[in-house]
Amino acid sequence: MDLVNIKVRHKVFGEGIIIAKENSYITVKFQNDEKKFIYPNVFDGYLITESSDIAESIKREIESIKKLENEKKERLAELEQQKQIEKNNGDKYIKVKTKVYPRANIAFKCNFCDGGYSDEQVGFNGVCSDDVIRNNIELEKRTWCSSEDCACGQYLKGDITRFELDALCNNGGFVCYESQMLREWKALAGIVQTGEKKGQPMKLNKVQNNSLCVLTTRDPNSSERERYIFGVFLVDETYEGDNQEEGYVTTKSKYRIKLSPKEAHKMLFWNYHANDNQPEVAVWSSGLHRYFGDEQAIQILQDIAKLKQGTEEEKLANEFLLYFARINDIDISTVPEKSGALKK
């Protein structure tokens, strides 16, 4: 469906016209500026069109997506129920052992974001502060932050106000992956920003349900050795990605934990992970994600459980550890000590 030149109205930004649709995003030109939104999500309560035919078509598309998501959840629930039946009646059923990839868990490299910073979270739940925006654009020259399409860059140039920037994020508009990471509990593979494959969506071809997703970042002006974990969750929905859409992992389960700034800085990522080449060197290089094994996943969850002792999340952290070990058939007692790059 061609949406270009369709007139729309946003409940915050007023009247506008769609000037581009690319992958899962649309760009709308309002009176004074342009804004990018996630499609078709933004039409589910934030954006409306004057065309009743197009509105009805988009409504059907949203309903279709929701229906597919519900059907997928139902299938997963049925599979989980069947697994439980087989477990309870092992002598009556023949269990089929599925292939388990040795590096099925996933860690994401995230640009530092202090949006929503508090004693309970590092950020990643809102637009960055002005200082961090300047750091990501002017000093570290982060690829997306520095692109012309990024609303933060438009704000720094004076094209939009801080109020408009925050409103964009809070009302369904797209600012960046990081600004909504601990709100949506969703991590995406990303879009290639440079080179011959610029604009192409990236794929996630090894992660699976019941894998651990680890969210990492590092503070401004810090080294790669100081990269830390600020959140983890149990993956219960994955999408590998294709030529049109980037891959992603997300969760709706209760097994998701964000770390306070004090806790997060104790969870150095490179205590657990090491590169195959030069394992003693803490370097991420290219790519936004890394795969790692179950031993490292257990080590991470064990340390989080220790950090959460005496807090409201102590019970959840311990349950998360035991549940992850059980569903992935891991004997915690056999897991070795940490042997990441910082331990070499």
Side-chain angles (χ1 to χ4, degrees):
M1 178 172 54
D2 187 8
L3 296 177
V4 176
N5 294 325
I6 296 299
K7 293 181 179 180
V8 293
R9 174 181 289 276
H10 193 279
K11 69 178 186 179
V12 173
F13 305 116
E15 294 183 350
I17 185 170
I18 299 175
I19 60 174
K21 181 179 183 295
E22 183 177 359
N23 296 319
S24 298
Y25 305 102
I26 59 171
T27 302
V28 180
K29 182 175 180 58
F30 295 99
Q31 184 175 0
N32 297 319
D33 54 14
E34 298 176 2
K35 299 188 184 299
K36 181 175 285 190
F37 301 98
I38 301 175
Y39 176 85
N41 307 47
V42 70
F43 283 95
D44 193 12
Y46 299 103
L47 203 65
I48 59 174
T49 173
E50 297 177 355
S51 170
S52 58
D53 291 340
I54 291 179
E56 183 62 29
S57 178
I58 294 174
K59 180 181 178 181
R60 289 196 299 269
E61 186 174 353
I62 293 173
E63 290 175 347
S64 176
I65 291 173
K66 290 182 177 180
K67 181 180 178 182
L68 288 174
E69 289 177 348
N70 289 333
E71 289 175 350
K72 188 173 183 179
K73 290 176 183 177
E74 290 174 359
R75 288 196 300 271
L76 290 173
E78 290 173 358
L79 288 173
E80 188 64 30
Q81 184 179 24
Q82 182 62 30
K83 287 180 182 178
Q84 190 63 41
I85 292 173
E86 292 177 356
K87 181 178 180 181
N88 295 336
N89 304 278
D91 57 332
K92 297 180 181 179
Y93 297 89
I94 299 174
K95 293 186 178 182
V96 179
K97 197 167 186 179
T98 57
K99 182 178 179 181
V100 178
Y101 289 99
R103 294 169 60 190
N105 305 292
I106 190 166
F108 283 88
K109 178 175 69 172
C110 308
N111 293 335
F112 180 76
C113 170
D114 64 348
Y117 175 90
S118 69
D119 291 340
E120 286 75 40
Q121 60 186 13
V122 171
F124 296 89
N125 194 2
V127 180
C128 291
S129 65
D130 287 6
D131 287 342
V132 173
I133 290 176
R134 290 191 183 91
N135 174 80
N136 286 345
I137 294 177
E138 297 175 354
L139 297 180
E140 303 207 31
K141 302 186 186 303
R142 301 295 187 188
T143 304
W144 169 251
C145 303
S146 304
S147 72
E148 294 181 356
D149 294 328
C150 180
C152 293
Q154 296 169 15
Y155 162 64
L156 273 193
K157 291 187 293 184
D159 295 337
I160 61 175
T161 66
R162 179 73 203 203
F163 174 81
E164 290 175 315
L165 177 62
D166 290 330
L168 176 65
C169 181
N170 296 331
N171 289 282
F174 179 77
V175 175
C176 66
Y177 299 135
E178 284 81 358
S179 65
Q180 55 195 23
M181 193 161 277
L182 291 184
R183 181 177 63 195
E184 304 291 339
W185 289 97
K186 184 176 185 179
L188 296 97
I191 304 295
V192 179
Q193 297 293 327
T194 59
E196 295 181 358
K197 295 184 178 181
K198 181 178 180 180
Q200 294 185 15
M202 299 181 187
K203 295 183 179 182
L204 301 176
N205 54 17
K206 293 184 179 180
V207 71
Q208 56 187 327
N209 286 352
N210 295 330
S211 292
L212 182 69
C213 178
V214 173
L215 307 174
T216 79
T217 192
R218 61 180 180 85
D219 293 337
N221 304 313
S222 65
S223 70
E224 181 59 34
R225 293 172 61 87
E226 297 170 278
R227 177 172 297 280
Y228 57 84
I229 297 167
F230 65 87
V232 296
F233 64 81
L234 183 72
V235 175
D236 66 9
E237 181 181 339
T238 69
Y239 177 61
E240 180 179 340
D242 54 30
N243 293 331
Q244 300 296 323
E245 305 287 344
E246 60 198 293
Y248 68 80
V249 294
T250 186
T251 190
K252 293 292 191 299
S253 80
K254 70 174 184 178
Y255 296 114
R256 46 187 179 182
I257 296 177
K258 57 185 176 183
L259 302 177
S260 70
K262 184 177 180 180
E263 292 167 341
H265 284 87
K266 295 179 180 179
M267 292 292 299
L268 297 181
F269 175 70
W270 293 102
N271 275 334
Y272 310 94
H273 187 66
N275 295 310
D276 292 333
N277 297 323
Q278 294 185 303
E280 74 283 358
V281 179
V283 57
W284 192 294
S285 298
S286 61
L288 296 179
H289 62 273
R290 292 286 184 90
Y291 298 107
F292 61 94
D294 286 336
E295 289 184 350
Q296 290 74 43
I298 290 293
Q299 291 164 357
I300 290 169
L301 291 176
Q302 283 178 320
D303 283 353
I304 289 177
K306 292 176 183 177
L307 284 174
K308 291 296 184 180
Q309 288 179 359
T311 72
E312 294 180 355
E313 292 187 300
E314 178 179 0
K315 181 179 179 181
L316 174 61
N318 285 317
E319 287 181 357
F320 194 166
L321 169 63
L322 296 176
Y323 182 76
F324 181 83
R326 179 172 64 81
I327 60 175
N328 289 296
D329 196 23
I330 304 167
D331 183 353
I332 295 179
S333 65
T334 65
V335 174
E337 293 295 319
K338 298 186 287 287
S339 58
L342 299 182
K343 298 293 184 178
K344 302 297 183 183

